[in-house]
Amino acid sequence: MQQPSVSPRNDGMPLWLAIVAALLLIACLVLEGKRLTIKPGPPQTFDNPVAEFKYGSIGAEWDGFPYMVWRELPAIFKDELPEGWRTFGFIEEPGQELPIGFSIRRVGVPRVGFNCATCHSAEVTAGGNTMLLLGAPAETLDIQSYILFLGYVAASDKLTADAVIESAAQAGRPLGPIDRLLVRTILVPGIKDQADGLATAFSWMKVKPRHGPGRTDAGNNWRARWGYGPEKDEAVGTVDFPSVWNQGIREGGWFHWDGNNNSLIERNYSAALAGGAKEWLLQRGLIDAQAEWLRDLPPPAYPLPVNADMAADGAAIYEREGCGTCHDPGGESFGQVTPLSDLQTDPARSDLFDDAFVSRFGDVGKGYTWRFSHYRATDGYANTPLDAIWARGPYLHNGSVPTLRALLSPPEDRPATFYRGCTDFDPVDVGFACESGFLFDTQLTGNGNGGHLYGTGLPDGEKSALIEYLKSKQYAGRS
Ligand code: HEC
Ligand code: HEC
């Protein structure tokens, strides 16, 4: 005769499972509540620096999304992510578990985090070929939309433990009983608990101009972390992702877009912190290894033919116009700041990073040997090298000018709006030529496309020669 079930569910939980569950629950509560007391698992290792750059850890998984849930989001939220993670412009390679720019590491459970490749690698399509350029500005990545999406996920009714469990099963990776329990009791509830916090932390993003692909506002991110309430003011610090190859030639100069720091180590550490690494757990070995590789990473060669005669004419014009005094290593003002009074580009990013901001930045790393001590406020933007400038459009610190030809035009002739976020390279005007995507509006705060008048008065033929020269602009690499 069949025993009547005492459990209201017909898959009644055996006692051993209940005990395991209770123990797990306690373990996880300790884990979640006091993550400070546990150490992350070892980072994944890779057998070459390219894979390390793409998928290695910089220690940013600490409060990262649990991987078990994260990998089901494209299926659960397929309406919001019609192209999976590519919807936000992440780059995926066949056969890889994660998009480029994500690492995975156990912090209690496996979690995902950003790494240097997130914001510093791009695909570019030129002459019918799509190339992956490591160290390039992540032109298609809309990191703001990704971050807002995670907040949306946390608050959404669509995110349930059942949805995660079912999606995993459908994808052919069914979760075992312990993982199911974790998803039900810890992971999904943990994400939901963060919904209000995420909404508050990123509320400033909803009242300031959208960053769009290829840009981020690290300044306001710091201000939000420090409790400045950036949602209450007009300050904007949105910048284009820079290229990070060939860092060796930038050593000792004043860089970051506004030239606020002359220590390469601090620029690397601040980038890692902005990407999710933690002050009290700064994985210096991992970051230093990435930085060491970037120091000598060669800029990508121009992928299409160059007209050598025209480029030679362009080199002479570049010389005559004095571009190299600011832009070439060894130039008189290389690695220095050109004040806004001369430069006249959009002031917002430089203004945000003022003395008060710098003195607060000085507290970053307090109590640690690496504490930041090289920051300063400036009144302009840095004279940067132009290595592989062909792959670095749209131009200027705020990405407000789509092509080199537009940059050599007087501001009133530069496009007032244009699309960003595609990979299509334009070999004539040099930059990206997007026919759709995110509409960049130069009228919005921080998006101004004025200034940098150098070369704007040249005859058209000379501009074309100068552009031809800039296509393959490189500096003798350090070996
Ligand atoms: C979330 C996106 C993001 C991640 C992740 C990131 N960076 Fe960056 N990085 C930026 C942005 C944005 C800037 C420009 C900041 C500015 O000047 O305002 C920058 C600037 C830099 C610079 C200074 C470049 C220059 O010439 O001025 C270096 C060097 C750098 N990053 C290295 C790294 C390294 C190394 C990592 C990994 C440890 C990393 N970044 C991770 C977004 C990122
Ligand atoms: C007095 C110094 C100075 C001179 C001279 C100068 N530039 Fe610049 N250049 C800058 C600064 C500073 C920036 C960054 C401005 C900003 O982002 O707001 C810049 C930006 C650029 C950029 C865009 C870089 C990027 O990553 O988006 C290009 C391209 C460029 N300059 C080319 C030239 C050319 C070509 C000439 C000569 C015709 C020239 N510059 C002359 C200071 C100078």
Side-chain angles (χ1 to χ4, degrees):
M1 198 186 123
Q2 229 185 332
Q3 290 288 316
S5 171
V6 287
S7 157
R9 297 177 55 149
N10 52 15
D11 62 343
M13 193 186 270
L15 184 64
W16 69 267
L17 195 55
I19 294 172
V20 171
L23 289 176
L24 250 174
L25 194 69
I26 293 166
C28 292
L29 287 175
V30 170
L31 256 166
E32 286 289 314
K34 296 177 73 183
R35 278 204 237 163
L36 282 169
T37 61
I38 63 157
K39 285 226 178 308
Q44 251 181 302
T45 50
F46 297 87
D47 55 9
N48 66 78
V50 168
E52 180 77 46
F53 183 72
K54 291 176 185 171
Y55 303 110
S57 171
I58 60 164
E61 305 87 349
W62 192 253
D63 41 20
F65 230 79
Y67 180 54
M68 233 187 289
V69 177
W70 185 87
R71 69 179 171 187
E72 307 307 338
L73 297 180
I76 300 173
F77 293 89
K78 56 180 178 303
D79 295 340
E80 292 82 353
L81 306 184
E83 297 174 64
W85 293 122
R86 278 202 178 253
T87 308
F88 300 119
F90 290 110
I91 303 169
E92 289 172 313
E93 294 185 302
Q96 291 291 340
E97 240 178 317
L98 300 169
I100 290 175
F102 282 95
S103 63
I104 188 166
R105 197 163 167 197
R106 183 173 285 277
V107 183
V109 294
R111 292 173 189 272
V112 292
F114 290 144
N115 64 21
C116 314
T118 320
C119 308
H120 299 301
S121 56
E123 278 181 333
V124 178
T125 309
N129 292 321
T130 298
M131 298 157 279
L132 174 64
L133 305 182
L134 300 179
E139 176 44 26
T140 57
L141 173 63
D142 186 347
I143 199 167
Q144 180 178 42
S145 291
Y146 171 73
I147 289 169
L148 291 173
F149 170 74
L150 293 184
Y152 166 84
V153 161
S156 167
D157 292 342
K158 286 203 259 179
L159 180 73
T160 62
D162 283 338
V164 172
I165 291 165
E166 191 176 313
S167 165
Q170 283 196 354
R173 46 178 178 238
L175 301 180
I178 294 188
D179 283 346
R180 286 207 300 272
L181 201 68
L182 266 176
V183 165
R184 283 193 196 288
T185 55
I186 308 288
L187 301 183
V188 168
I191 292 165
K192 298 211 166 275
D193 281 351
Q194 288 176 25
D196 290 346
L198 289 173
T200 312
F202 298 118
S203 60
W204 62 271
M205 290 189 182
K206 300 197 172 150
V207 299
K208 298 188 193 272
R210 289 292 285 217
H211 306 161
R215 306 199 312 161
T216 189
D217 185 345
N220 271 317
N221 235 335
W222 283 109
R223 295 174 80 237
R225 279 193 214 180
W226 296 336
Y228 281 28
E231 66 282 358
K232 291 182 287 224
D233 61 37
E234 298 279 298
V236 166
T238 311
V239 291
D240 234 33
F241 297 130
S243 63
V244 289
W245 46 61
N246 220 5
Q247 281 299 315
I249 64 169
R250 290 156 170 86
E251 183 130 46
W254 288 96
F255 290 113
H256 277 153
W257 284 111
D258 63 341
N260 63 23
N261 194 302
N262 67 346
S263 156
L264 183 50
I265 293 176
E266 287 191 11
R267 293 201 293 272
N268 289 319
Y269 289 2
S270 67
L273 291 170
K278 298 286 171 243
E279 249 173 270
W280 45 270
L281 189 79
L282 196 68
Q283 309 259 291
R284 293 169 66 190
L286 295 174
I287 301 164
D288 292 349
Q290 298 284 320
E292 196 50 40
W293 185 69
L294 292 172
R295 176 186 285 271
D296 295 315
L297 179 68
Y302 188 71
L304 300 170
V306 173
N307 180 325
D309 290 343
M310 244 172 109
D313 291 347
I317 296 161
Y318 183 89
E319 177 75 31
R320 187 190 75 207
E321 296 298 312
C323 311
T325 56
C326 292
H327 288 298
D328 294 353
E332 207 175 300
S333 311
F334 178 72
Q336 302 298 317
V337 165
T338 300
L340 281 165
S341 51
D342 293 344
L343 190 62
Q344 295 168 42
T345 59
D346 191 287
R349 162 68 179 78
S350 177
D351 288 352
L352 178 142
F353 214 103
D354 59 8
D355 287 323
F357 190 100
V358 170
S359 75
R360 183 62 185 76
F361 229 113
D363 288 340
V364 176
K366 205 171 183 169
Y368 300 92
T369 50
W370 54 267
R371 180 181 179 170
F372 291 164
S373 61
H374 291 72
Y375 273 98
R376 62 171 188 178
T378 74
D379 60 350
Y381 295 104
N383 301 333
T384 53
L386 300 178
D387 44 358
I389 192 68
W390 68 271
R392 289 162 50 183
Y395 298 100
L396 299 181
H397 68 278
N398 55 359
S400 59
V401 181
T403 61
L404 288 181
R405 197 171 305 271
L407 187 63
L408 290 174
S409 306
E412 57 278 16
D413 294 339
R414 297 173 185 167
T417 59
F418 61 94
Y419 288 109
R420 293 193 59 148
C422 72
T423 64
D424 301 322
F425 179 67
D426 171 356
V428 177
D429 294 342
V430 179
F432 292 94
C434 304
E435 288 183 349
S436 61
F438 176 82
L439 189 68
F440 187 96
D441 183 351
T442 59
Q443 297 299 309
L444 300 177
T445 312
N447 286 3
N449 66 350
H452 196 282
L453 303 178
Y454 317 103
T456 55
L458 296 172
D460 284 349
E462 292 200 358
K463 286 181 185 173
S464 294
L466 189 51
I467 292 169
E468 202 64 17
Y469 168 67
L470 289 173
K471 283 179 177 175
S472 46
K473 180 83 185 152
Q474 301 284 7
Y475 303 101
R478 295 153 30 98
S479 55

